[in-house]
Amino acid sequence: MDVNKYRALFIEESREHVAEMSRLLVELESSNDRGPLIDEVFRHAHSIKSMAASMGYDPIATLAHRLEDVIGLHRKSGAAFAAPTVDALLRSVDALTQQVQCIADGRQLDGYFELVRTLGALAQVEPPPPPPMPEGEDPFAGLAVVMVRLVAECPAPPLRMFLVHRRLSELGPIAKMAPSLDDVKAGRLKGRELRVAFGSAQQEADVRRVLAQVPDIESVTFEEGGRRAVAVFDEAKPVAETPERLASLATVRVRTDLLDDIMDSIGELFIVRERLRMLLGLDARSPVLSAMDDLGTRIHHLHDQVIAARMMPMRTLTDRYPRLVRDLCRSLGKEVELEIRGRDIEIDRAILDNLDAPFIHLLRNAVDHGIESTAERHACGKSPVGKVTISATRERDHVLVMIEDDGAGIDPVQLRRTAVERGVLTDAQAQALNVRETLYLICLPGFSTKAEVSDISGRGVGMDVVSARIESVGGSLGIESEVGKGTRFIFRLPLTLAIIPVLLVRAAGRVLALPVAKVVTLREANDEILTQADGGRFLSFRQGLHPVLSLAELLGLPKPPAPETFVAVVEAGLELFALGVDAVVGYHEVVLKPLGDPLENLECYAGVTILGDGQPILILDLSKIVRLRTAA
Amino acid sequence: MTKTRVLIVDDAIFMRNMIKDIFNDDQYEIVGEAANGVEAVEKYKELKPDLITMDIVMPFKSGIEATREILSFDKSALIVMCSALGQESLVMEAIEAGAADFVVKPFKPEDVQRVVQKALSSRAQPK
C-alpha cells in the first residue's frame, strides 16, 4: 500500500488537529468545566497518533502517545491543569507542528526526546512490571488442554489471546488458562502460546471450527496434561485484489485554488456577457436581450454559489488568537483576557486571508501598548486583568468586526505632536484636525509614537499596512479611542470580493468607477441643494454641511473649467464626503480585478475592471482619496 | 457472488479513506461511512451492512458504546474494532461487548483482509 498518496491528507488533517489542541489547551487552563474539553483534546491527540502510526511516522506517534498519556491521566483524576503542565503540553503541540512541517518539507523527523521524557514524567508512566516466572509443576496435569500458538507477526498478541479465550469460552466454561486471563488482560505474556483447559469435555471438531474463525493462529494442538498430540492447520493466504467502488460522501474537500480558478472563470463569463450585450445593442424588445438577462441571472447565481463554497467562519482566524494572546501575556508579564464573539460569522475566504495579519498586528498592539501593566491598571482603578474583545456581527450586506481593548487609549495630543515633529504636518495643519482625523494619523506609513521595532509588535507591519489590506478587499477601517478608557478598531468588510456594482462617473475627461456600496446618494449639483461660501460650494446633507470636493482635483487631474454638475455623497472610513463629478455615465456590475505591480502602488485605486467594450476602468479607493485631502 | 456490504466508522477522513482502499475489491461493497458512534448506529439501522469496521475513540459516542447498542438490536452484527496501540483494554471491552474481531493500527491490508475473511466465515457457519 502506497502511503505517500495519503501524505497530503495526513499533513492537512494533522494541522487541523494541532490547531484545535492549541486552542483547547489555552481554554482548559482557565476553564472550570474541564471534562468535555479534556475529552476533545484527547481525541485530537489520539487521531494524530493513529494517523502517524499508520504512516510509519513513529516519532510523531510517540509524542502524540505521550500527550495522550498526560491528558488521559487528568481525564481520570479530573485534576486541574497546572501552568507548567499546560506549558509542556503546548510545547508538545508546537513540536508536533514542527514535525508535520518536516514531513511536508521532506526533512528528517526530530524525536524531541527531552520533551517525550518530560511528558512521560508528567504522565507518571511506569514501565510494566516484568512478568512473573512460574517454575515447577504443570498446572494442567490430568486435563485436556488446547494449545494455541499465535503466528510470529501477530499484532497485539494479548488481544488475540483474549479473543481466543472468548471464543473458546462460548463453547463451554474454561477451567484453567496459561497465561492467566489477568495476565492476558495486563499484557503480561511469555511468548505466543496460550493453553486452555475446559471445565467440561469438548469435541475437537467444535474447537477447531471455532478457532478457524480466528486469524493469526499458527497452530492448534491438543494435549493431555503432559502428552502432546500434534495437529496443525495452515493459515489461509489472503486473496489479492482489484479495483474499485467508492460510496459518495456528503462533503468533499476542495482545494481553495480550484475555487479561485472557478471564480475567475465566472468573472470572465460575466465579461463575455457584457460584451455580447454591447454588441447586441439596446433594443429592449429583442428576445435575445431577455435571454441575455437570463444568462446574467444564471451567472450571478453561479457566482453566489461559489461564494457560498468559499465562505468560511471567522473562527478559522480567531481560534488561534487565544494562544497568541496567552503567549504574549506570558512574555510581557501582562494579564489580558481575550473574548471572541461571532466566531461563526461567515465571510469570503479571499477576504479572510487578508484579515489575519491586520488582526494579529492589532492584537499585539493591544497587549503590548494598549493594555497597561497590572500595577498601572491598579493605580487607575481598573481591574488588574485587561480585556480585549474581538467581535464579528453580520449586517445586511457586510460584516462588522471590532477589536477593542480597555487599555490606555490613544492620545490625540501626543499624535499631533509626533506628526509635527516628524514633519508630516505643519503645526497649523495638526491643530486643524479633529479627534477622528487625528486618530487616522496612525495609518500613515512609518508613524508610531513608540518604538514598534520590538520583537513583539512592529517588524514593519504598521497600521498603514493594516489599513491598506482592509481597503484592498473593499473594506473600511474606523478608529475610536479615549485616553484612559481604551481603543476600538472597527472593520467594515464586504461579504465577498469579485463582482461588485459600481457607478461610472466622468471627471476631467476620464471615466472612473465608484463602488456603489460606498455611494450614499447622488444629486444634481444645482443651487437648490448647494450653498456658496468661502469660495467653495457646500452640500447640506443629513444635518451636516459638507464641502464639495472636486474628484478631478483630488486625483491630481486638471480641474475642469465649468463647475461639476453632479455630487456624489460617499462613505470613506466612517465619514461622509461630497465629491463633485462632471457626469454620471451609468451603473454597472463589474468584476474587480486587483492591479498588479507596479500599478498597485498608485494610492487611490482599489482595482481595475474591464467593461464589455474592452475599456479598462479604474475603480476608486475612496478612503485613500479622501485621506489624501486630509494630509494635503 | 454477492458482495460483502461494509460500513466504515472512524472519525478521521484519513482513516476512512485508508480503510476504503483496503476494501477496494470485487468482494466488497462499501455501503456507507460514519464519523462517530451516533452516526454508526443510525447508518447500521439504515443500511444493515454485513460488516462494520468500528473505530473506538470517537466524539459523541464511542465505538464500544455503538457496538453494544448495535448488538442489542442485532445480535448477528459483525463488528471489527479498529484500534490504536495502547488501547488493549478498550478492545477487550469491545470484545466482551460482542465485537467479532479487531485490527490494530498501523494495519496492513493483508491483516485486515485476513481478519475480515475469518469474521465473515464465522457468519456462514451455524453457531
Side-chain angles (χ1 to χ4, degrees):
Chain A
M1 182 174 68
D2 180 16
V3 293
N4 277 312
K5 72 183 195 188
Y6 294 102
R7 221 175 108 241
L9 198 50
F10 167 82
I11 294 170
E12 200 183 328
E13 288 212 15
S14 298
R15 284 190 173 141
E16 285 177 15
H17 287 303
V18 163
E20 267 304 287
M21 274 201 285
S22 197
R23 181 185 73 80
L24 288 164
L25 284 170
V26 174
E27 215 184 310
L28 254 177
E29 215 180 0
S30 52
S31 165
N32 281 320
D33 184 18
R34 285 183 289 273
L37 293 174
I38 295 183
D39 283 343
E40 264 194 80
V41 183
F42 186 88
R43 275 199 301 276
H44 287 297
H46 177 82
S47 296
I48 296 182
K49 185 184 78 172
S50 300
M51 289 196 289
S54 307
M55 298 290 289
Y57 300 145
D58 293 331
I60 302 184
T62 306
L63 188 53
H65 192 151
R66 280 283 170 274
L67 255 171
E68 252 194 41
D69 287 339
V70 175
I71 296 162
L73 193 69
H74 283 265
R75 215 182 186 187
K76 277 201 212 97
S77 67
F81 280 84
T85 308
V86 178
D87 274 343
L89 291 173
L90 284 172
R91 278 206 313 278
S92 312
V93 169
D94 287 340
L96 283 173
T97 310
Q98 290 308 315
Q99 286 175 321
V100 172
Q101 188 58 44
C102 282
I103 301 290
D105 296 338
R107 287 179 286 131
Q108 201 172 26
L109 281 174
D110 184 341
Y112 288 96
F113 298 116
E114 201 48 62
L115 202 47
V116 168
R117 265 201 295 278
T118 308
L119 289 176
L122 285 170
Q124 297 155 41
V125 169
E126 289 166 5
M133 307 286 284
E135 310 273 325
E137 19 128 310
D138 182 358
F140 290 97
L143 296 169
V145 174
V146 178
M147 197 279 278
V148 176
R149 181 183 287 143
L150 303 179
V151 298
E153 328 79 63
C154 169
L159 277 179
R160 187 50 66 205
M161 286 193 188
F162 184 83
L163 192 67
V164 166
H165 165 262
R166 169 104 180 166
R167 292 285 168 263
L168 290 177
S169 60
E170 282 163 6
L171 286 174
I174 307 287
K176 234 180 192 54
M177 198 169 112
S180 73
L181 190 59
D182 280 340
D183 282 344
V184 167
K185 280 185 169 175
R188 289 189 291 266
L189 305 183
K190 280 189 307 165
R192 43 192 174 97
E193 290 178 357
L194 175 71
R195 286 187 169 75
V196 174
F198 283 96
S200 52
Q202 298 294 335
Q203 296 286 347
E204 198 180 296
D206 289 334
V207 173
R208 285 200 188 282
R209 173 178 52 80
V210 162
L211 291 179
Q213 292 155 17
V214 179
D216 293 335
I217 294 179
E218 187 184 273
S219 62
V220 178
T221 319
F222 293 87
E223 308 171 344
E224 267 181 45
R227 285 200 296 121
R228 286 182 177 207
V230 179
V232 179
F233 64 94
D234 278 336
E235 277 290 316
K237 289 294 164 219
V239 191
E241 64 279 18
T242 45
E244 100 181 283
R245 229 216 104 199
L246 294 171
S248 60
L249 292 154
T251 61
V252 288
R253 278 182 184 267
V254 179
R255 284 183 358 259
T256 48
D257 52 348
L258 181 59
L259 282 178
D260 288 343
D261 283 346
I262 296 177
M263 210 47 162
D264 278 345
S265 298
I266 295 178
E268 297 298 323
L269 258 179
F270 203 76
I271 291 174
V272 170
R273 187 197 83 119
E274 291 294 299
R275 211 162 81 221
L276 272 174
R277 215 161 55 143
M278 289 200 159
L279 289 170
L280 287 169
L282 295 165
D283 184 355
R285 291 161 298 159
S286 160
V288 178
L289 214 54
S290 100
M292 292 293 304
D293 280 341
D294 240 349
L295 183 59
T297 311
R298 302 259 156 251
I299 296 177
H300 256 293
H301 190 57
L302 197 54
H303 167 257
D304 288 346
Q305 285 173 313
V306 176
I307 289 291
R310 272 193 355 182
M311 296 291 263
M312 302 210 65
M314 288 294 301
R315 62 163 185 274
T316 316
L317 289 184
T318 61
D319 275 357
R320 282 162 34 243
Y321 297 164
R323 171 80 197 270
L324 175 72
V325 170
R326 179 197 185 269
D327 288 346
L328 277 172
C329 286
R330 300 273 288 194
S331 54
L332 291 171
K334 295 237 178 108
E335 285 184 73
V336 176
E337 184 197 320
L338 175 67
E339 190 186 328
I340 302 179
R341 285 190 258 147
R343 292 167 75 215
D344 293 323
I345 302 282
E346 290 198 336
I347 197 166
D348 188 342
R349 188 195 61 85
I351 297 179
L352 214 56
D353 281 348
N354 281 295
L355 296 179
D356 202 29
F359 285 177
I360 290 180
H361 178 75
L362 289 177
L363 278 177
R364 284 192 163 134
N365 266 359
V367 178
D368 196 3
H369 305 307
I371 304 284
E372 314 93 325
S373 71
T374 320
E376 283 171 326
R377 288 181 69 90
H378 188 72
C380 301
K382 288 185 182 176
S383 96
V385 178
K387 186 102 188 272
V388 173
T389 311
I390 304 179
S391 61
T393 44
R394 169 77 194 263
E395 312 252 307
R396 190 172 47 90
D397 54 7
H398 56 266
V399 170
L400 225 50
V401 179
M402 287 199 272
I403 299 183
E404 54 188 308
D405 64 69
D406 66 350
I410 302 174
D411 184 359
V413 173
Q414 183 62 40
L415 278 181
R416 284 191 203 111
R417 199 175 300 146
T418 310
V420 173
E421 275 168 17
R422 298 205 181 168
V424 175
L425 296 176
T426 67
D427 205 34
Q429 286 170 326
Q431 294 311 318
L433 297 174
N434 64 29
V435 174
R436 273 238 172 95
E437 291 164 327
T438 312
L439 289 173
Y440 276 111
L441 284 175
I442 64 176
C443 295
L444 289 175
F447 200 103
S448 69
T449 50
K450 279 204 175 138
E452 279 190 334
V453 285
S454 65
D455 194 47
I456 302 293
S457 47
R459 275 206 209 101
V461 180
M463 281 304 299
D464 55 326
V465 176
V466 170
S467 69
R469 283 286 190 98
I470 299 302
E471 267 140 40
S472 75
V473 297
S476 59
L477 174 62
I479 308 172
E480 290 169 7
S481 184
E482 207 182 314
V483 173
K485 289 263 175 66
T487 308
R488 180 190 297 157
F489 293 90
I490 305 163
F491 298 84
R492 198 141 169 275
L493 303 162
L495 292 172
T496 92
L497 239 29
I499 298 183
I500 53 168
V502 296
L503 198 62
L504 293 182
V505 297
R506 203 195 310 278
R510 320 252 173 123
V511 178
L512 300 156
L514 296 175
V516 164
K518 300 279 172 103
V519 177
V520 177
T521 188
L522 189 62
R523 302 279 176 85
E524 223 179 298
N526 54 41
D527 295 326
E528 280 171 28
I529 55 163
L530 297 179
T531 38
Q532 292 272 48
D534 290 338
R537 296 190 297 170
F538 288 78
L539 173 71
S540 174
F541 185 72
R542 284 192 193 161
Q543 282 125 29
L545 206 58
H546 302 272
V548 176
L549 310 166
S550 159
L551 181 56
E553 219 178 303
L554 282 177
L555 292 173
L557 298 169
K559 195 174 167 172
E564 287 124 345
T565 44
F566 282 90
V567 178
V569 179
V570 300
E571 264 177 350
L574 295 171
E575 310 256 355
L576 293 179
F577 295 92
L579 292 180
V581 297
D582 294 332
V584 174
V585 176
Y587 168 95
H588 278 257
E589 289 195 318
V590 297
V591 178
L592 175 125
K593 290 190 179 285
L595 287 162
D597 198 37
L599 289 174
E600 61 189 358
N601 294 313
L602 289 172
E603 296 220 312
C604 346
Y605 305 105
V608 66
T609 187
I610 302 185
L611 290 187
D613 60 2
Q615 204 193 144
I617 306 277
L618 288 166
I619 302 172
L620 297 174
D621 182 338
L622 293 164
S623 320
K624 281 274 174 56
I625 294 174
V626 161
R627 269 213 297 284
L628 279 180
R629 173 252 179 182
T630 310
Chain B
M1 179 186 80
T2 46
K3 297 193 188 188
T4 302
R5 300 168 68 252
V6 184
L7 169 64
I8 299 176
V9 182
D10 196 303
D11 62 341
I13 300 179
F14 173 86
M15 289 310 307
R16 293 204 299 269
N17 283 357
M18 258 195 163
I19 299 176
K20 277 196 302 208
D21 260 13
I22 292 175
F23 286 112
N24 259 356
D25 197 294
D26 280 339
Q27 301 172 51
Y28 304 105
E29 183 193 333
I30 297 165
V31 296
E33 299 181 25
N36 59 63
V38 174
E39 274 182 36
V41 176
E42 280 170 16
K43 291 269 163 94
Y44 186 85
K45 286 181 180 163
E46 184 194 319
L47 300 163
K48 295 277 172 25
D50 300 316
L51 176 78
I52 307 178
T53 64
M54 181 84 81
D55 183 23
I56 295 191
V57 176
M58 290 187 291
F60 307 125
K61 190 177 276 196
S62 75
I64 300 180
E65 280 180 63
T67 299
R68 271 198 201 107
E69 212 178 304
I70 292 173
L71 286 167
S72 74
F73 59 78
D74 184 352
K75 278 201 296 284
S76 67
L78 270 181
I79 305 179
V80 173
M81 312 303 293
C82 296
S83 87
L85 283 171
Q87 292 189 304
E88 277 79 35
S89 58
L90 289 175
V91 177
M92 290 182 193
E93 215 183 303
I95 292 175
E96 280 179 335
D101 214 311
F102 63 91
V103 284
V104 181
K105 302 169 193 172
F107 40 71
K108 302 200 268 308
E110 312 88 74
D111 295 343
V112 179
Q113 294 272 0
R114 225 173 31 247
V115 166
V116 167
Q117 292 291 345
K118 292 279 181 180
L120 290 170
S121 70
S122 73
R123 250 278 190 80
Q125 308 246 3
K127 280 231 171 98

